[in-house]
Amino acid sequence: MKETLVEKDFGIAQVLKQLGIAENNKGAATGSKWLTTKGKVIDSYSPVDGQKIGSVQTATADDYAAVMQTAEEAFKVWRLMPAPKRGEIVRQIGDELRKYKEPLGKLVSFEMGKSLQEGLGEVQEMIDICDFAVGLSRQLYGLTMHSERPMHRMYEQWHPLGVVGIISAFNFPVAVWSWNSMLAWVCGDVCIWKPSSKVPMCAIACQNIVSEVLKRNNIPEGVSCLVIGNESGDLINNDKRIPLVSFTGSTRIGRHVSKTVAERFGRTILELGGNNAIIVSENADLNMVLIGSVFGAVGTAGQRCTSTRRLIIHESVYNKTLDVIKNAYAQLKIGNPLDASNHVGPLIDKGAVQDYLNAIEKAKAEGGKVLVEGGVLSGEGYESGCYVKPCVIEAQNNFKIVQEETFAPILYVMKYKTIEEAIAMQNDVPQGLSSSIFTGNMREMELFLSAAGSDCGIANVNIGTSGAEIGGAFGGEKETGGGRESGSDAWKAYMRRQTNTINFGTSLPLAQGIRFDV
């Protein structure tokens, strides 16, 4: 019988052991306490070789209720701990992630299908956000304002919100959770995390890592909670005890989350779809374009919300740019993502493969011309049925399929005449996450970054659309949801603002000069 990757090639069995993951796992936890559950069992299969990694017994409504109760109790204690002390806990979590970077990175790669470099990079993002949050724990600043009334002082301060619900997607199994949780924790909130059911093992590994830090510092169990299973998503969305829900996923489900949470006057951070374009100017360095566009389009097999979907090329360099792109695509190596010699790994599952095939057919039906053929790979090394060829299609920006986000390595290419036309094309999609221009022309750069330029939350010059750093707030506009996570002042979303006025005089003057004599 042929050995699988779990058994031999990359020591996945040892990785699971290092991360405290068993064959059968529970789907609900508070800190290090795993709840006994009667939920249905889901299996995690690797898209790398199609083999089962393990099983998880999902959380039930009763499990969720128990977790929520523990979280509420923990919040009463955690919110009173000084913010720098909370930052110290996050610092220790960062140190644990450094210790487990290699095994956790391998698990991310194996369970999700992204390259090992990207898996390790995702864990590095977690480490980086821990470092950011530690510094932030001493910088939760408010403002002091001058009062119009004599002998009065005004200032604002920020308080924790409470229990934060985090619902994350499969393509970044651990990083997106950390962007939210580390900031929420230093802000004084506690977290309930519902990960994608496609990558439950990564979530269990993270819970195990965090629980060790909480346990040795005598931190209440409910500071870090985990609930696995789709039922828990709607429980979080409808729960009035959760003032903030951070959701990462499709625009379609994001609409449901937004409406549900808004109806109970809760807040949301929405990180939804992207339809990201690179504008290639006649003044562009094509060597830089090559790296930015090809990695942007095929990295993570096109399954990033920041993946490059559209290449808008000036007519004068159109053919030359396509020659460069097609030559690069011909050299791409597709296969096991844990093998560093491969450029492209698998899609997450066969459903994603079908979406990829459907998108190609729709593009052709609308008049698209396939320049680099796609297709599903089969045979030795491709047994999972999830490996596909990156595809390049000449298209028009107004094609229905081009207006949609397909989570797959499909790149649509099109021409433009003027920079104003290119920017209009870039903006003429429902989504507004990431954007890029490659140019050496200062006027084009500045126009692209001006109020008349890109309408996206992220706008880059001479770098691709993917690869955001944690120092800047991450998120987008329009159907991308308007949310912001990670750096800058994104921490304010996890807190409530309070304006305070102190009267240190001996009279009580009213604002706006109002007189009220009694």
Side-chain angles (χ1 to χ4, degrees):
M1 182 185 221
K2 184 179 177 182
E3 289 182 297
T4 69
L5 288 172
V6 173
E7 294 163 335
K8 66 164 191 176
D9 290 350
F10 294 92
I12 297 299
Q14 180 62 25
V15 163
L16 297 175
K17 185 176 180 181
Q18 283 179 274
L19 296 170
I21 299 173
E23 170 63 24
N24 297 301
N25 302 275
K26 302 299 182 183
T30 57
S32 58
K33 182 181 178 183
W34 291 90
L35 278 63
T36 301
T37 178
K38 296 180 180 179
K40 69 177 182 179
V41 174
I42 58 172
D43 298 321
S44 175
Y45 291 91
S46 172
V48 175
D49 64 355
Q51 299 299 310
K52 186 172 122 176
I53 302 173
S55 301
V56 181
Q57 200 166 12
T58 58
T60 64
D62 288 341
D63 297 326
Y64 174 83
V67 165
M68 188 63 199
Q69 181 179 352
T70 308
E72 286 189 295
E73 292 170 356
F75 174 61
K76 295 174 184 177
V77 177
W78 184 246
R79 66 184 175 183
L80 295 177
M81 184 179 290
K85 297 294 184 183
R86 299 193 295 256
E88 167 59 18
I89 302 302
V90 170
R91 185 195 67 78
Q92 293 180 35
I93 292 172
D95 285 347
E96 288 298 297
L97 289 169
R98 287 178 172 88
K99 185 190 305 183
Y100 288 102
K101 179 177 178 178
E102 183 176 350
L104 184 55
K106 280 188 175 181
L107 180 59
V108 168
S109 178
F110 191 63
E111 189 172 33
M112 186 268 150
K114 62 176 61 177
S115 73
L116 179 57
Q117 286 188 68
E118 291 181 82
L120 294 171
E122 185 166 345
V123 181
Q124 186 60 50
E125 280 192 67
M126 301 173 76
I127 295 167
D128 292 344
I129 197 64
C130 286
D131 290 349
F132 181 91
V134 172
L136 177 64
S137 68
R138 295 180 182 271
Q139 300 178 77
L140 301 175
Y141 299 136
L143 298 173
T144 298
M145 293 81 75
H146 288 282
S147 173
E148 66 186 53
R149 290 166 284 183
M151 309 295 281
H152 281 61
R153 181 167 72 88
M154 293 179 64
Y155 68 96
E156 68 176 25
Q157 60 179 333
W158 296 82
H159 293 303
L161 279 176
V163 182
V164 171
I166 303 169
I167 303 174
S168 61
F170 75 86
N171 59 331
F172 280 85
V174 295
V176 171
W177 162 74
S178 71
W179 296 349
N180 285 275
S181 60
M182 304 307 164
L183 296 193
W185 282 334
V186 298
C187 288
D189 302 315
V190 301
C191 298
I192 293 182
W193 178 24
K194 192 214 81 71
S196 167
S197 294
K198 296 181 180 182
V199 285
M201 299 302 164
C202 290
I204 292 169
C206 290
Q207 185 71 16
N208 288 341
I209 290 169
V210 171
S211 72
E212 289 301 311
V213 176
L214 299 183
K215 189 190 303 182
R216 68 169 174 250
N217 286 278
N218 296 314
I219 301 299
E221 289 274 350
V223 168
S224 176
C225 300
L226 177 68
V227 284
I228 296 174
N230 292 334
E231 181 181 2
S232 296
D234 267 342
L235 291 172
I236 289 172
N237 294 331
N238 285 285
D239 197 331
K240 293 181 179 180
R241 297 168 294 178
I242 297 181
L244 173 66
V245 176
S246 176
F247 172 81
T248 303
S250 70
T251 297
R252 179 180 62 84
I253 300 177
R255 291 184 195 280
H256 167 73
V257 173
S258 177
K259 180 180 178 181
T260 303
V261 178
E263 283 181 345
R264 60 175 178 81
F265 294 103
R267 304 184 194 177
T268 53
I269 297 174
L270 300 174
E271 299 290 353
L272 311 177
N275 195 345
N276 317 295
I278 292 177
I279 297 173
V280 181
S281 163
E282 59 186 320
N283 302 296
D285 181 330
L286 291 188
N287 289 324
M288 296 173 70
V289 171
L290 172 65
I291 297 170
S293 59
V294 175
F295 176 75
V298 309
T300 326
Q303 296 173 111
R304 292 185 177 213
C305 52
T306 54
S307 290
T308 305
R309 310 287 175 201
R310 298 173 293 143
L311 208 56
I312 304 170
I313 309 167
H314 191 271
E315 59 183 7
S316 68
V317 293
Y318 185 76
N319 291 331
K320 187 177 181 180
T321 303
L322 288 186
D323 287 343
V324 170
I325 296 295
K326 287 189 283 188
N327 182 59
Y329 269 58
Q331 299 177 59
L332 291 174
K333 294 180 180 178
I334 306 167
N336 182 346
L338 284 89
D339 183 341
S341 67
N342 290 323
H343 301 101
V344 185
L347 293 176
I348 186 65
D349 56 26
K350 291 182 179 178
V353 172
Q354 192 58 54
D355 290 342
Y356 156 86
L357 293 173
N358 291 344
I360 294 174
E361 290 306 311
K362 288 178 181 178
K364 287 159 65 175
E366 290 190 77
K369 179 183 177 183
V370 177
L371 303 180
V372 176
E373 285 286 347
V376 182
L377 296 170
S378 60
E380 187 174 355
Y382 305 123
E383 291 86 355
S384 69
C386 296
Y387 292 86
V388 302
K389 298 177 184 178
C391 179
V392 179
I393 301 175
E394 188 174 58
Q396 298 298 319
N397 200 58
N398 61 359
F399 285 3
K400 188 173 184 291
I401 188 61
V402 175
Q403 293 284 308
E404 300 173 2
E405 178 189 44
T406 303
F407 243 40
I410 301 174
L411 179 64
Y412 301 109
V413 297
M414 55 202 75
K415 297 179 186 177
Y416 78 90
K417 293 180 182 294
T418 68
I419 185 62
E420 290 80 7
E421 179 190 6
I423 291 172
M425 291 169 67
Q426 135 69 38
N427 292 344
D428 191 21
V429 291
Q431 309 85 357
L433 179 52
S434 187
S435 58
S436 169
I437 186 170
F438 279 82
T439 182
N441 183 297
M442 184 65 74
R443 176 182 174 272
E444 291 181 332
M445 292 181 194
E446 292 296 339
L447 182 63
F448 180 73
L449 298 176
S450 75
S454 169
D455 64 359
C456 294
I458 299 169
N460 298 325
V461 175
N462 293 328
I463 62 172
T465 60
S466 61
E469 298 180 27
I470 61 93
F474 180 89
E477 303 300 324
K478 301 188 295 188
E479 289 191 2
T480 300
R484 293 296 186 274
E485 295 170 331
S486 197
S488 185
D489 65 347
W491 61 271
K492 293 179 178 179
Y494 304 90
M495 304 193 81
R496 58 183 177 88
R497 186 197 307 248
Q498 184 180 79
T499 300
N500 307 113
T501 306
I502 300 170
N503 178 359
F504 55 93
T506 57
S507 62
L508 186 59
L510 301 178
Q512 293 84 48
I514 295 172
R515 298 184 63 85
F516 186 74
D517 298 322
V518 292

